Amino acid sequence: MFKTCAFCNAAFDGDGGPSGLAVGRRFAFDEWKGRLWLICGRCSRWNLTPLDERLERIETVARAAVEGRLLAATEQVALLRWRVYDLVRVGRPPRAELATWRYGERLRARARDRAKVVVPLTVAALGLGIAANVAAGGSLGILVWNLHNLADWAYVRIVGGRRVQLVEPPICARCGRIMDLRARHVQHSRLVPEAHTEIAVLVSCPSCHQEGALVSGADASAILRQGLTFLNATRAGRRRAEDAARVVDQAGGADGLIREVARREITLRSIRPERRLALEMAVDEQAEVQELERRWREAEEIADIADGLLSSTPEIEEHLKRLREQQDKSQPDS
Ligand SMILES: [Zn+2]
Ligand SMILES: [Zn+2]
């Protein structure tokens, strides 16, 4: 079940090592909050691991981390290498610091991803271009700069062409067609306030270019994440990640920023780049917390049912009563 990245769909690399998950090479854990993430080797996003046995897994990962070599650390976050595994220890970090680390990492992965397209394209085009340019009497410097920009544009196009995976593809209310959304289509969509749901997006139809559907819930957050990734693909940098983290903080957290942006009802592409990266962070963060909460509720429900079953069986009831009496007896009087 836990084999591919929830964000980019790539198969996880590695064998899981100390996590016992059988997949993954890079893990993040928070002993305080009982969280364990598998970090995607391709997009560097943090995939929250299934709740079952998580505490046990965190324990073995934490033990490995103690034996590991410290590669880098801030006050609250430490990157350790143990054998071939990278372990990120997180401890009660303030938002700005954690976000910088996480998003700095992610932006670097994005830069690597871009280099895979941009460099070969530039090199290939260079061979063809020099002859033409020399013949036309142009300057080589300007040519190289142009080719690089062209290759960069090609990369952004690739990201923009990625299909948005939805549980329920929306149907356009204007033209009646099923919307086959690509990341680049989302830039014309707007985050709007909705009383009954955390996130609602008014989606612009790729066929008729009108606002044709209101999507909410998990699908809305999937649309936002991919659309914002595309819009934010054009520039990257650690500094920007820090600034964006500050924007989230100033809005009073992820919820606050999402509400603020929704109130203004502007298209995603007209949001300031800094704020746009902040929004991408906020949506990611909210989705993760919601997933965590969902898991927790599920676990609580199961625990409730299990407890209910136990107390309703007379034999067990009797057994528990005896246990309690024994315990009372063995406790010294005070
Ligand atoms: Zn991924
Ligand atoms: Zn339409």
Side-chain angles (χ1 to χ4, degrees):
M1 191 186 87
F2 202 65
K3 296 232 181 316
T4 55
C5 173
F7 303 96
C8 74
N9 264 325
F12 292 132
D13 56 349
D15 61 5
S19 76
L21 283 165
V23 281
R25 202 190 60 76
R26 217 166 198 220
F27 302 94
F29 65 100
D30 181 341
E31 283 175 285
W32 298 104
K33 289 188 182 160
R35 292 192 193 182
L36 178 66
W37 297 270
L38 200 168
I39 302 177
C40 175
R42 193 169 121 191
C43 71
S44 290
R45 292 205 186 178
W46 293 25
N47 287 262
L48 194 65
T49 64
L51 199 61
D52 19 306
E53 300 171 55
R54 193 190 289 166
L55 291 178
E56 212 174 286
R57 294 184 198 285
I58 291 170
E59 218 172 278
T60 56
V61 170
R63 254 202 309 273
V66 170
E67 291 171 18
R69 207 154 39 89
L70 184 70
L71 296 182
T74 60
E75 210 175 312
Q76 305 280 355
V77 177
L79 172 62
L80 303 122
R81 182 152 301 152
W82 182 74
R83 296 185 189 167
V84 298
Y85 308 98
D86 283 350
L87 309 173
V88 180
R89 192 177 54 211
V90 183
R92 293 179 180 166
R95 185 195 313 281
E97 196 187 2
L98 175 64
T100 303
W101 166 268
R102 284 174 68 160
Y103 286 83
E105 264 297 293
R106 218 169 87 192
L107 294 178
R108 269 194 293 281
R110 201 173 278 172
R112 282 196 297 274
D113 204 28
R114 180 208 309 264
K116 276 183 214 145
V117 175
V118 173
V119 174
L121 266 179
T122 307
V123 170
L126 201 57
L128 294 171
I130 287 172
N133 193 56
V134 168
S139 141
L140 191 63
I142 288 176
L143 169 81
V144 172
W145 184 81
N146 275 328
L147 288 175
H148 184 84
N149 272 352
L150 190 72
D152 203 66
W153 171 83
Y155 166 73
V156 172
R157 262 189 74 92
I158 290 171
V159 175
R162 287 185 185 146
R163 176 171 275 123
V164 182
Q165 304 279 357
L166 298 175
V167 178
E168 223 181 307
I171 295 167
C172 178
R174 310 278 180 136
C175 70
R177 267 177 276 206
I178 293 175
M179 293 188 190
D180 178 24
L181 285 176
R182 304 291 173 136
R184 66 171 183 278
H185 296 139
V186 180
Q187 57 178 313
H188 306 291
S189 300
R190 294 186 293 145
L191 193 61
V192 293
E194 252 289 307
H196 306 291
T197 174
E198 303 268 345
I199 295 180
V201 181
L202 203 50
V203 184
S204 160
C205 171
S207 309
C208 70
H209 304 291
Q210 299 196 69
E211 288 180 334
L214 184 68
V215 180
S216 61
D219 274 354
S221 112
I223 288 173
L224 279 178
R225 284 159 117 172
Q226 268 194 275
L228 290 168
T229 301
F230 161 68
L231 283 167
N232 293 332
T234 48
R235 274 172 214 167
R238 192 184 167 79
R239 171 92 203 139
R240 292 278 296 284
E242 276 166 25
D243 290 346
R246 214 164 293 130
V247 173
V248 177
D249 257 355
Q250 277 162 5
D255 288 1
L257 182 68
I258 291 168
R259 266 199 308 276
E260 246 178 51
V261 173
R263 251 201 314 273
R264 299 191 54 198
E265 299 198 29
I266 53 175
T267 59
L268 296 186
R269 65 174 298 169
S270 37
I271 300 173
R272 267 204 331 272
E274 213 169 273
R275 215 168 152 77
R276 213 157 51 199
L277 186 61
L279 183 64
E280 186 185 345
M281 271 185 196
V283 174
D284 267 2
E285 198 166 285
Q286 208 190 41
E288 190 171 317
V289 174
Q290 274 166 4
E291 171 64 10
L292 197 68
E293 198 179 284
R294 197 180 65 78
R295 294 275 183 178
W296 170 71
R297 279 185 204 289
E298 202 176 80
E300 281 290 317
E301 247 170 55
I302 292 169
D304 272 356
I305 294 168
D307 285 353
L309 281 178
L310 280 180
S311 56
S312 64
T313 315
E315 292 87 358
I316 291 174
E317 188 84 306
E318 186 59 32
H319 177 74
L320 285 175
K321 209 174 115 195
R322 266 205 310 278
L323 269 181
R324 249 176 258 129
E325 281 165 8
Q326 273 170 16
Q327 242 167 27
D328 285 347
K329 264 182 237 155
S330 67
Q331 251 157 36
D333 297 329
S334 54

